[in-house]
Every structure is written in structure tokens, then in C-alpha cells.
Amino acid sequence: MLYGILAAIAALFLSAALAALLRGPALRLGITLRRRGPRPVPLLGGVAVTLATCAVAAAGHAVGVTPLGGRTGALLAAGAAVAALGLVADVWGLKSRFLLAGTAVAAACVVPYEETGAVGGALAVGFVACAAFAFRSLDHADALAGTVGAVTAFGVGACAAAEALDGLAVLLSVVAAALTGFLTHNWHPGRIALGASGSLFTGFVLAAAAVLTRGGHGPLSTAGVLFSLTALAAVDAVLVAVSRRLAGRPLLRSGPDHLAHRLRRLGLTPQGVTVLLGTAAFGAVAAGVLVHTGRAGASAVLWVAGSALVVVCLLLRVRPYGQKRPTCTTASMTSSQVSASLRVRNG
């Protein structure tokens, strides 16, 4: 217990220090994300989170205080591989299908097939890969991915502790602390972002850890708990997919159509959006933890699912794409030319 607290404190300060150190090199090397406005945002925050998590977890394993064990060690190694793949995407660019394939391969290496079976294992691999990508999409707003990730890590860690998976529980507390340290630099206005490296690492580790904690439980209850633990990321992904489908836009074409974008259009501040969505994530994660520990029935998951459906339906009414810009020909016409054109068309 004491080591878990010390490990979390170490991860928090180490992540914050690494994020501060990596910001300058990222700017000099041009590893940045340009959002609205001229201010470039460095993308190496995920490297800080990954390095802090791996360093603290490896130190605890080396001194024998909290041995990671086979599954937890494999999970951390696979997560580091996913983070490296995301870093390649941040630095040189990588198509999403290659990122998804690499994440799925990593997930296939950590799923407990002896407990899930072949079909359940395949579904678990798909869940982990999709959850990792859903967390990646949350990095569209300052502090959002880090806040939701930290809340989810605490929840999954509580589930792991309830199953007496001490090594996994400590690892998740370290992840939560590393994300908290990163948030000291990512709160609006963010000075550094997670990037694909950090967001994929966070989503992968959390989703895979949730799958490990649910080993041996029924498939229906497991599906409900896994949904509750990742509900906010799932809502964002579904909202974006449905919105782009209805608008006839390519699914992988970025746009201001995520949860945070729509809430900003409704008048919320960036900080208000993060607090609101973080609170929503906490409620959904708490429901998942209560169902997992037997303190609440399956109806809690139904409430989460129903709330998610209502949110998607309501926010679909917020138009994210705006009006089409006038063509160059029309925009270059003077008012007198436009009037003359209309008189000709009307005879």
C-alpha cells in the first residue's frame, strides 16, 4: 500500500518534469499539432507519460516490491510498443489503418484466451483496439484525454484491486498519476499534448487491463462493465461516426464534430467542457466499478447506456460543420454584378 502511494507520487512528478523537458525539443523539431489559431502545440506529452509509467513500474519490479507478473508485464510491454507506433505517427505520419492493425496485434498478445475462449478473445482484441482509437480521438481538446484517462485508470484499478490483482492495480495507479502530472502542462491553454503516442498508450493499457480484470466473468456482464468503463470515449466515437455518415463526410476526415466541439458551440468554456465531460466519465466509470464489485445490479449499466444514447441524439442536433463557403467566382463578384446576374436570371 505504501509503495503504491510512493510509486504514484514518483510517476506524477516524473511525468510533469519530462513533459516540461520534451516541450522544447518538440517545438524545435516541428513535432506539433496546429489547432485553430497560429499557436503550435507540441505532441511529445505522450512520451512523458509512457516513460514515467514504464520507469516507475520497472523500478518496482526490479526491487521486488510489486512484481509485475507475466500478464501485467506483457501488458506494459505491449502498451510501450503501441506508444512507439503512435510516436511514429506523430513524427512522420502514419495512416490510421496501420495504426489500428498494429494496435490489434498488440492486443492479441495480451488477451487471456484461456478465460475468454476463441470467440471472446477475438471480440476482446477488437474492443481493445477500438477503445485505444476512441481515446486517441479524445485528444482533440486540452486536458480532456488526460482527465478521462486518469478517471478511468482509477476505476479499472479499483476493479483490479477487487480481484486481488495487486501488480495490475499498482500499474493503473501509476498510469493515473502520470496522466495527472501531464495535466499540469495540458490544462487550457495546453502547452503540450498527448499525441497519438500517449493517447493510444493510455487507451490500450486501460482497455486491456479492464479485459484482464474481467477474466472468468460472464460475457454479458463483462460487456456491460467494459462499456461503462469506457463509455465517454465510446460516446464521442459514435457521435463522430454517425455525424459524418449523415453529412456524407469520410469517416477518417477530421472535423469539429467531437463532444468538446459541440459543447463549445453551446457556449461552454474549454475548462467547463473538461470538467463536465470528466464528471460524466466519473459517473460512468463508477457505475462500472459498482457492477463489477457486485454493489449494483445490471440496471446501472442500462442507465449509462440510456444516458449515452440521449447525449448522442441531442448533440447530433448541434451543427458542427457550418455553412458552405461561397465559391471563388461568387465571392469575387461585386454587389452590382450579383444584382445584374439576378435580373438576367429573372428575365
Side-chain angles (χ1 to χ4, degrees), residues 162 286-298 300:
V289 173
L290 291 175
V291 173
H292 175 79
T293 56
R295 298 176 182 274

Side-chain angles (χ1 to χ4, degrees), residues 11 13 36 56 67 98 136-137 153 161 166-167 190 193 203 239 251 270-271 288 313:
F13 284 103
R36 289 187 178 181
V56 173
F98 296 119
R136 182 193 179 197
S137 71
D166 296 335
L239 177 65
L251 180 61
Q271 297 91 334
C313 292

Side-chain angles (χ1 to χ4, degrees), residues 78-124:
V82 170
L85 187 65
L87 181 60
V88 173
D90 289 331
V91 177
W92 292 291
L94 196 63
K95 292 186 177 180
S96 295
R97 62 174 176 267
F98 296 119
L99 280 177
L100 182 61
T103 305
V105 170
C109 295
V110 299
V111 169
Y113 298 100
E114 66 277 9
E115 297 176 354
T116 62
V119 176
L123 293 175

Side-chain angles (χ1 to χ4, degrees), residues 30-79:
I31 309 174
T32 59
L33 170 68
R34 288 190 175 273
R35 295 180 179 147
R36 289 187 178 181
R39 182 175 60 89
V41 181
L43 287 177
L44 294 185
V47 175
V49 172
T50 303
L51 289 178
T53 301
C54 293
V56 173
H61 178 75
V63 299
V65 179
T66 54
L68 294 177
R71 287 183 176 178
T72 306
L75 168 61
L76 185 59

Side-chain angles (χ1 to χ4, degrees), residues 35-223:
R35 295 180 179 147
R36 289 187 178 181
R39 182 175 60 89
V41 181
L43 287 177
L44 294 185
V47 175
V49 172
T50 303
L51 289 178
T53 301
C54 293
V56 173
H61 178 75
V63 299
V65 179
T66 54
L68 294 177
R71 287 183 176 178
T72 306
L75 168 61
L76 185 59
V82 170
L85 187 65
L87 181 60
V88 173
D90 289 331
V91 177
W92 292 291
L94 196 63
K95 292 186 177 180
S96 295
R97 62 174 176 267
F98 296 119
L99 280 177
L100 182 61
T103 305
V105 170
C109 295
V110 299
V111 169
Y113 298 100
E114 66 277 9
E115 297 176 354
T116 62
V119 176
L123 293 175
V125 168
F127 164 75
V128 173
C130 291
F133 260 69
F135 268 89
R136 182 193 179 197
S137 71
L138 289 179
D139 199 32
H140 62 272
D142 290 337
L144 181 57
T147 300
V148 175
V151 169
T152 306
F154 278 119
V156 181
C159 294
E163 297 294 326
L165 300 173
D166 296 335
L168 187 58
V170 171
L171 174 61
L172 291 165
S173 69
V174 169
V175 172
L179 288 170
T180 304
F182 159 76
L183 283 172
T184 60
H185 301 281
N186 188 236
W187 194 257
H188 184 79
R191 299 183 297 279
I192 192 169
L194 279 175
S197 177
S199 55
L200 286 176
F201 172 80
T202 300
F204 178 88
V205 171
L206 297 182
V211 169
L212 291 178
T213 61
R214 291 297 300 178
H217 293 267
L220 290 180
S221 63
T222 294

